[in-house]
Amino acid sequence: MNTVFESVIDGIVSEGYGIADNFLTPEEVTTLASRLREHRGAGQFRAAGIGNQQKIVQHTIRGDEILWLDEASATPEETAFLHRINEFVAYVNQTCYLGLREYEFHYAVYPPGAFYKRHLDRFRSDSRRKLSVICYLNSDWLETDGGQLAIYLPEAEGQSEHQITVNPLGGRLVCFESGRLEHEVLPATRERLSITGWLKTG
Ligand code: OGA
Ligand code: MN
């Protein structure tokens, strides 16, 4: 796993974002996706909000539904996922001195057609979010399914602002600095599943 963590950090340092394609195994992707569907079937998901007050703005900004992971009531698969995140946090703290102390993660479902407009992940009133982490739970995702994560890379060294897009492939992890990179979720033609979270200072 350490080489996976290392490639994510190398990506962040050199490009501003890191991607690892095997953060989760195909089996972990399938079991976490089933857990997600069970929770959703049990009515545990809520429309996601915006900002500290979690205002719901009627799907004009974001159309996903979320469920926060709770360590105390986590299933074995969820506990294993959070354990992997703990290892990543320990690795980041050893190599980057970001002083990460806490994290928060939620499941997210984007129904077909749902999107999340261009935004920054850090609330004005809460600067503790240091790294954004997104882990996709979509088996057999095709480019033509849409749902790409678009990341806007700021102007630097003669390069103007430009956009890169990432397909939400099952098992893939994407990580970037929460306060630095604006990004957007493009609409998909099928349901798009993920676990998204933030690594925070205390
Ligand atoms: C978010 C977000 C990106 C994605 O939840 O804040 O930007 O690819 N998610 O799901
Ligand atoms: Mn975001």
Side-chain angles (χ1 to χ4, degrees):
M1 229 351 114
N2 269 15
T3 56
V4 174
F5 298 161
E6 191 182 332
S7 69
V8 173
I9 295 304
D10 283 353
I12 295 174
V13 171
S14 60
E15 319 284 341
Y17 63 94
I19 299 183
D21 275 342
N22 300 304
F23 188 75
L24 299 178
T25 64
E27 295 72 36
E28 288 171 321
V29 169
T30 335
T31 45
L32 283 166
S34 332
R35 289 297 92 75
L36 181 159
R37 291 205 171 86
E38 283 163 21
H39 292 305
R40 191 149 177 257
Q44 295 171 0
F45 274 64
R46 295 287 172 266
I50 311 287
N52 262 352
Q53 310 299 320
Q54 291 295 292
K55 258 196 316 202
I56 312 289
V57 276
Q58 293 188 340
H59 300 189
T60 54
I61 297 178
R62 66 187 293 189
D64 56 326
E65 293 173 31
I66 64 166
L67 171 67
W68 289 97
L69 291 186
D70 171 23
E71 248 159 278
S73 60
T75 66
E77 303 76 15
E78 293 162 355
T79 302
F81 173 82
L82 293 172
H83 180 74
R84 185 88 40 89
I85 293 295
N86 266 315
E87 291 174 344
F88 182 53
V89 166
Y91 182 86
V92 174
N93 278 336
Q94 279 161 21
T95 52
C96 302
Y97 313 105
L98 283 178
L100 303 177
R101 305 271 305 271
E102 293 176 15
Y103 56 72
E104 53 189 3
F105 277 85
H106 63 59
Y107 282 115
V109 176
Y110 288 76
F115 51 79
Y116 191 163
K117 292 281 191 203
R118 181 170 172 167
H119 66 280
L120 203 59
D121 276 350
R122 187 185 277 184
F123 306 136
R124 262 181 221 118
S125 52
D126 182 357
S127 60
R128 289 177 303 158
R129 286 182 170 183
K130 292 294 174 233
L131 293 178
S132 300
V133 176
I134 306 136
C135 197
Y136 299 109
L137 304 179
N138 309 299
S139 304
D140 308 316
W141 193 270
L142 301 174
E143 173 90 34
T144 49
D145 292 328
Q148 283 83 17
L149 166 67
I151 300 178
Y152 296 88
L153 298 171
E155 191 181 325
E157 290 158 23
Q159 276 216 321
S160 49
E161 181 191 79
H162 61 288
Q163 194 197 36
I164 60 112
T165 55
V166 181
N167 282 308
L169 305 184
R172 172 174 277 180
L173 174 128
V174 183
C175 184
F176 52 86
E177 282 180 76
S178 309
R180 221 168 78 82
L181 294 189
E182 294 191 356
H183 54 282
E184 142 170 40
V185 178
L186 303 174
T189 55
R190 55 178 268 207
E191 201 168 69
R192 178 190 191 272
L193 313 181
S194 58
I195 301 184
T196 299
W198 294 274
L199 311 183
K200 302 161 58 160
T201 55

